[in-house]
Amino acid sequence: MASFRDRLASQASMEANRLRERIGDLEAMQVPIFNIVRSLQIWLMTQPMDWSLYGFSLIEGDVRGICINAQHPEPMQRFTCAHELGHLVLGHKTNIDHSVNVDSASGSPQELQAQSFASTFMMPVANVYRGLKVIGTSEGQLSPSDAYRLARILDVSFAALCWRLVEMEIIGRDLARRWIRSGPAAARRAIADEVVTSDLTILYGDARAHGRVGDKVVVDIQDHADSGYEWRPVGSREPSSRVRWDGSADVSSLLEAYEGSSLLSLTAAGEEDITIELVRPWEHRDAIETRSITVEVAPEHSIELLDETQRIALRQRASS
Amino acid sequence: MIRWIRDLRASGEPIDDQEFRPVCLSLSVTNAHAYEILEPLSAEYLRWSSGGYGQRGSVSATAQALADKGQPPENQWAFLPSTDEAAGTYIAPSTVTGPFRRAQMSDLISFDEVEAAIEAGHRVILALHTSPDWYLRDTTVITRGAPVRRNHAVVAVAAGVMESGVGGLLRRGDRVLVIRNSWGSNWGQNGHAIMTEHAFVTSVHRSLLVAPF
């Protein structure tokens, strides 16, 4: 028989699914949570706060607002936003979310519900399974680095993804704790073709990368640059306004195992197909080899687009 | 215009093309060594024998192989860009019989010493890292050592001083070297390019002189 807490979590999860249905047209793997919140006439802003504070939600009369800790990484901000949305949708009162309350296994029923709401809203079952398919793994074979890649695809934090995998009974609670304790960096290092820093993604094997504006993608393709050969975008130096091809780079200082790779900087949101060719730039002959890469670039931050009047009004409310 | 301190380029000397093979140091050492003794030598043998002294093609392994094993004449084992070093057949052929010319490699520690060595008639091996300047359609002058691209080795074959500026890249009075690359004769100007003192300081890891014995 399901426990009281399980039932509460389930109700919140169903509420999240209902809201997704009501909004409709939510096919994106990376749920555009900031836009959704705004479309629901909820004021949204960021503000630097103590690291232990995630954010808070406000209800005053018919006015509802969400404020998120600007110090946190964006995937965490996105999840916090969904968590605060959960509080508002579930009819909870004005609420300040401190890590002590939210992260605790014995947190209040309201926190449990908001977490469950956010988890389902940001990582619906269909998206998790689609993501697993994209990275070419199945539930039984999931490694920490697979989980890391899945978190990138869904644009949520590594920890949030791990707990979602627990909810979906894809991994056990103890394993999730171990992975989270080791941290995303360990997950990235777990296999050689992963990541070294928070904004450096390695594309290897498969030709599809997920990142966000500001990320650098290491394209791990042997280029023979010591022989004068380089991978370059076909046709021009810059493949598009969304990505910048930085060419051969010595990334060994960032990632010990990689001496020969190319760097791609993600500069604007959207999806981009890039064709690169291996050439000696000064030689007028056909390319030795060509490859195609698809890069999905998530927007850097859309909260900044909040109307200034709303921002000021909400800030005043928050400070009062 | 450049006022040459010494120009050791030889007209008609073919430019090496290593293609995909990581043999820049072996080709550079061989070029400098052969220049000293005026005999063509086998770069392939040096490359192969360096594998017995640590990481094949590294500076230390190549220096030890050159001192211990030396190099036979080039025609006993000619360099081929298509040779597969990973194949089990990568071993010195029976045609390699010697004589084996041995030499010591020693470090020079400054641009001044490199310039002086060239002035004294010695080609100097430069172990360095490349920068984007190396990968242009028309590389003629290398002015930058950054951003870092790849480790590489070339031979410094001339030294001079700019007598006038060139297009903002070179100023009057700049000290320069002419380097000989192994990326084919289409690179730079017939396989050569000018390297500024700034590029030297910011990209060269080791400058090496070959002394036959």
Side-chain angles (χ1 to χ4, degrees):
Chain A
M1 186 179 159
S3 70
F4 175 64
R5 290 178 69 82
D6 285 345
R7 285 204 300 276
L8 283 176
S10 172
Q11 284 166 9
S13 179
M14 284 191 285
E15 199 62 54
N17 282 326
R18 269 198 288 277
L19 180 60
R20 285 182 63 89
E21 271 179 41
R22 209 167 73 224
I23 294 166
D25 195 25
L26 265 182
E27 291 300 307
M29 294 288 273
Q30 302 180 343
V31 175
I33 184 67
F34 300 144
N35 291 341
I36 289 171
V37 163
R38 268 198 222 99
S39 72
L40 295 170
Q41 308 297 312
I42 296 169
W43 288 3
L44 178 61
M45 66 176 289
T46 59
Q47 187 171 295
M49 304 176 200
D50 185 272
W51 184 265
S52 61
L53 279 173
Y54 288 116
F56 55 88
S57 53
L58 286 166
I59 306 174
E60 281 190 29
D62 58 351
V63 176
R64 297 181 300 169
I66 290 173
C67 186
I68 301 164
N69 191 345
Q71 313 261 47
H72 286 171
E74 195 176 330
M76 196 188 286
Q77 288 184 29
R78 283 165 44 75
F79 194 82
T80 300
C81 185
H83 177 103
E84 301 305 333
L85 177 63
H87 280 308
L88 295 175
V89 169
L90 295 165
H92 301 160
K93 291 179 180 169
T94 293
N95 189 80
I96 296 176
D97 283 315
H98 193 278
S99 60
V100 174
N101 307 325
V102 176
D103 297 339
S104 166
S106 57
S108 73
Q110 291 197 349
E111 291 309 324
L112 172 75
Q113 285 196 300
Q115 280 296 78
S116 189
F117 178 95
S119 190
T120 304
F121 197 82
M122 297 298 284
M123 295 169 277
V125 171
N127 283 16
V128 172
Y129 282 112
R130 272 170 60 201
L132 289 173
K133 201 171 172 185
V134 167
I135 60 177
T137 191
S138 60
E139 319 173 31
Q141 299 170 327
L142 203 68
S143 66
S145 44
D146 290 332
Y148 175 79
R149 294 171 95 184
L150 189 53
R152 302 279 301 194
I153 290 171
L154 300 173
D155 203 5
V156 293
S157 71
F158 180 67
L161 187 275
C162 288
W163 290 124
R164 180 58 171 154
L165 295 175
V166 172
E167 284 170 7
M168 291 176 63
E169 299 183 355
I170 291 176
I171 61 172
R173 194 169 288 276
D174 288 343
L175 187 59
R177 282 205 189 94
R178 267 208 311 278
W179 286 2
I180 293 168
R181 215 168 21 242
S182 302
R188 293 190 296 256
R189 282 195 299 268
I191 55 173
D193 61 330
E194 283 302 332
V195 177
V196 273
T197 70
S198 60
D199 64 349
L200 189 69
T201 306
I202 288 173
L203 173 63
Y204 178 81
D206 62 1
R208 194 171 187 91
H210 304 267
R212 58 170 44 304
V213 174
D215 278 4
K216 283 188 180 297
V217 175
V218 176
V219 184
D220 179 37
I221 305 177
Q222 187 167 19
D223 58 10
H224 306 280
D226 56 348
S227 307
Y229 288 91
E230 274 202 321
W231 287 96
R232 296 194 163 195
V234 172
S236 69
R237 189 70 190 159
E238 300 301 334
S240 80
S241 58
R242 288 198 184 89
V243 298
R244 188 181 69 239
W245 185 258
D246 296 331
S248 299
D250 179 0
V251 293
S252 54
S253 60
L254 301 171
L255 185 61
E256 204 174 319
Y258 290 80
E259 289 181 10
S261 302
S262 295
L263 273 182
L264 190 64
S265 294
L266 310 185
T267 54
E271 184 170 309
E272 194 67 42
D273 293 320
I274 307 158
T275 304
I276 53 174
E277 57 183 5
L278 184 60
V279 293
R280 272 178 167 170
W282 60 90
E283 288 185 345
H284 304 286
R285 61 180 183 181
D286 291 341
I288 301 294
E289 195 179 343
T290 58
R291 294 276 186 96
S292 293
I293 299 170
T294 301
V295 187
E296 280 180 29
V297 191
E300 188 179 21
H301 218 290
S302 44
I303 296 180
E304 297 305 321
L305 301 175
L306 181 69
D307 175 74
E308 185 59 21
T309 314
Q310 287 191 353
R311 194 197 304 265
I312 293 166
L314 191 57
R315 200 172 281 151
Q316 284 170 345
R317 280 170 184 274
S319 61
S320 66
Chain B
M1 291 296 290
I2 300 175
R3 177 175 59 79
W4 296 110
I5 294 169
R6 185 90 186 253
D7 186 351
L8 304 178
R9 281 174 288 183
S11 65
E13 183 184 6
I15 296 294
D16 296 315
D17 191 344
Q18 65 187 88
E19 278 289 346
F20 278 170
R21 294 190 58 195
V23 293
C24 51
L25 185 65
S26 300
L27 290 172
S28 298
V29 170
T30 301
N31 179 269
H33 189 191
Y35 186 82
E36 294 290 330
I37 63 172
L38 301 174
E39 282 178 29
L41 296 167
S42 171
E44 193 69 72
Y45 182 84
L46 181 62
R47 170 76 186 168
W48 170 77
S49 62
S50 70
Y53 296 88
Q55 188 188 346
R56 174 169 284 141
S58 66
V59 171
S60 61
T62 302
Q64 286 182 60
L66 184 65
D68 281 1
K69 301 284 188 187
Q71 291 181 277
E74 184 185 27
N75 60 9
Q76 292 185 6
W77 193 5
F79 170 77
L80 285 177
S82 56
T83 298
D84 180 7
E85 296 182 20
T89 52
Y90 188 55
I91 190 164
S94 57
T95 50
V96 174
T97 54
F100 296 90
R101 304 295 191 184
R102 298 195 295 162
Q104 290 283 0
M105 283 165 64
S106 58
D107 278 285
L108 304 173
I109 58 164
S110 66
F111 189 91
D112 288 344
E113 288 193 4
V114 171
E115 192 181 72
I118 292 171
E119 189 172 16
H122 304 289
R123 289 184 172 183
V124 179
I125 301 142
L126 306 179
L128 44 74
H129 61 250
T130 59
S131 70
D133 283 354
W134 294 70
Y135 302 91
L136 305 178
R137 287 183 193 282
D138 54 351
T139 295
T140 51
V141 183
I142 293 161
T143 60
R144 297 180 294 170
V148 175
R149 290 285 170 94
R150 292 291 189 281
N151 288 332
H152 189 41
V154 295
V155 187
V157 294
V161 178
M162 296 305 299
E163 287 189 322
S164 57
V166 177
L169 292 174
L170 297 164
R171 291 171 303 180
R172 185 171 181 274
D174 281 352
R175 299 199 294 173
V176 297
L177 301 174
V178 173
I179 55 146
R180 181 183 194 277
N181 203 350
S182 51
W183 292 353
S185 58
N186 290 327
W187 183 84
Q189 291 185 326
N190 189 32
H192 296 76
I194 291 170
M195 173 182 274
T196 63
E197 185 175 5
H198 176 74
F200 176 93
V201 169
T202 53
S203 68
V204 174
H205 311 150
R206 298 184 66 176
S207 309
L208 300 154
L209 199 58
V210 171
F213 63 87

